[in-house]
Amino acid sequence: MRQTSLSALILATTVICVSPNASATATQRPTRRPHVPPTLLTVPEGTRLLVVAPHPDDEVLGAGGLMQRVHETGGTVRVVYLTNGEGYPEGVEAEEHGGKTPTPDDFRGYGRRRRHEARTAVEALALGDYKSTFLCFPDGGLCKLMRSYWSERRVAYRSPYTRLDRPPLAERLVPATEFRGEDLTQELAQIIGDFRPTLIVVPRKEDQHSDHCAAWFFLADALAAVRRVQPDYSVDVLNYIVHFYSWPFEKDGPTLDPPPHLSSGPSGWLTLPLTPDEERAKRQALRRYQTQMHVMSWFLDGFAKSNEVFSKPASIDVVLPVRRDLCDEP
Ligand SMILES: [Zn+2]
């Protein structure tokens, strides 16, 4: 499908984000920032929260506590998963127990399993009439959609894992959706336009997983699309971060401190202290991601702390597609 208003190629930003495989060496690490205590994040009553998760588990890692707080203060929570998290060969091989090379069916099955885990994980947070949506876009391929597979001018992107080039029909919000950048923007815009969240949380563009970086740009582009038809719509946007060098494992302890080498942005860092019950539920939710606990429990446990940290973006003025890569891919 084609979106005429986004058809011009516009280089909107020079921000570069890197993948987790892209030489995250100590020599390239940014300078440590002066420590400024985070500001307490307060959650207004009746908040309508949309959590954008590139993969199943990111919603709990980044905002498992915030989702509970929104529900406890009379709000509504919705999660949109951009991918099923299926493009993880090491995880698929670990599940197969035989060391054989995974087939496209294995990757699709792994994605279905992660979706099931997502449902059981969020149930552990007891969010009432919570709703989730799986867009089923290609894990590991989101950055490519921003530049190389934007529109109908070329064939849709085909996942090297599942060999699919579009979401299953039953999962498409827009029937003609294929693995193209403008299609992902439109699906996100439809969710935002229908739900009209008052708060959106999405990964920061500096997140070093290329799908996480891309999630930020697609969210910003979708917000612009919504505002073209609903000019009075406004929303607060918060960023969370999951992959950034060795954070948060440089420092042990009960709290989650902001990454010391990353700018807090104009808002300064924001922290949401969790109650013991919220922290316990977040930990239980993470444990329901059994496929991920199987291969990287240490990573998930690193986010099960007594608080969560967020920041606000400096600007959400992004127009896709772009001429050059915003995310360095493996
Ligand atoms: Zn992720």
Side-chain angles (χ1 to χ4, degrees):
M1 58 174 289
R2 179 165 299 167
Q3 184 188 3
T4 306
S5 56
L6 294 180
S7 61
L9 291 174
I10 300 172
L11 179 60
T13 173
T14 57
V15 171
I16 303 296
C17 54
V18 297
S19 77
N21 297 328
S23 61
T25 64
T27 54
Q28 294 174 312
R29 190 198 306 248
T31 308
R32 192 179 186 90
R33 308 264 171 178
H35 178 69
V36 178
T39 303
L40 286 180
L41 176 67
T42 57
V43 177
E45 289 184 13
T47 294
R48 296 176 63 78
L49 171 66
L50 176 66
V51 180
V52 178
H55 315 102
D57 75 10
D58 291 319
E59 81 290 11
V60 181
L61 291 171
L66 176 61
M67 289 194 285
Q68 294 178 75
R69 188 66 54 84
V70 166
H71 174 63
E72 291 156 7
T73 51
T76 306
V77 179
R78 183 163 179 177
V79 181
V80 55
Y81 300 92
L82 305 187
T83 80
N84 291 340
E86 74 284 353
Y88 185 21
E90 295 85 353
V92 177
E93 288 168 16
E95 296 304 310
E96 289 298 322
H97 304 294
K100 71 180 181 69
T101 303
T103 66
D105 277 346
D106 292 331
F107 285 110
R108 295 176 196 180
Y110 189 73
R112 286 193 294 273
R113 185 162 176 189
R114 291 194 68 177
R115 286 177 56 146
H116 174 72
E117 290 175 342
R119 293 193 187 92
T120 62
V122 180
E123 279 174 11
L125 302 179
L127 300 178
D129 59 353
Y130 143 89
K131 183 175 180 184
S132 64
T133 304
F134 293 87
L135 297 185
C136 304
F137 269 67
D139 186 6
L142 300 187
C143 265
K144 290 184 173 68
L145 305 187
M146 288 198 293
R147 179 190 182 208
S148 303
Y149 295 88
W150 179 259
S151 73
E152 288 180 334
R153 291 177 183 174
R154 62 176 295 181
V155 297
Y157 176 76
R158 186 175 294 278
S159 166
Y161 304 111
T162 63
R163 305 306 300 163
L164 298 175
D165 66 355
R166 67 198 70 190
L169 180 58
E171 310 293 345
R172 296 178 215 156
L173 304 178
V174 180
T177 292
E178 297 184 336
F179 288 167
R180 294 191 170 95
E182 65 177 359
D183 292 14
L184 179 50
T185 286
Q186 285 305 294
E187 295 240 310
L188 269 177
Q190 180 154 331
I191 289 172
I192 295 167
D194 290 346
F195 181 54
R196 290 179 69 88
T198 57
L199 175 63
I200 298 175
V201 296
V202 60
R204 272 183 72 138
K205 58 180 176 285
E206 292 88 355
D207 193 303
Q208 292 174 316
H209 192 303
S210 59
D211 284 340
H212 287 227
C213 169
W216 157 253
F217 288 102
F218 278 112
L219 181 278
D221 196 46
L223 274 178
V226 171
R227 285 176 177 147
R228 278 192 286 274
V229 293
Q230 300 184 24
D232 62 330
Y233 175 65
S234 66
V235 61
D236 287 327
V237 177
L238 291 178
N239 290 128
Y240 66 94
I241 192 154
V242 173
H243 303 280
F244 192 73
Y245 295 97
S246 56
W247 183 83
F249 306 101
E250 297 155 320
K251 173 181 169 292
D252 209 1
T255 60
L256 191 65
D257 294 339
H261 305 281
L262 182 60
S263 164
S264 61
S267 66
W269 289 106
L270 304 169
T271 184
L272 179 71
L274 307 185
T275 66
D277 283 348
E278 290 168 342
E279 183 182 347
R280 193 176 307 114
K282 177 171 180 172
R283 190 178 296 275
Q284 288 171 351
L286 289 172
R287 298 223 164 263
R288 294 191 178 185
Y289 278 110
Q290 293 178 358
T291 58
Q292 306 311 291
M293 293 300 292
H294 190 180
V295 289
M296 51 177 174
S297 59
W298 60 273
F299 186 82
L300 274 64
D301 285 342
F303 290 82
K305 299 291 182 74
S306 63
N307 67 302
E308 292 174 343
V309 292
F310 302 93
S311 60
K312 290 190 175 182
S315 168
I316 54 174
D317 294 328
V318 171
V319 179
L320 298 179
V322 289
R323 282 201 182 95
R324 61 179 178 175
D325 288 336
L326 297 172
C327 308
D328 255 353
E329 297 173 285

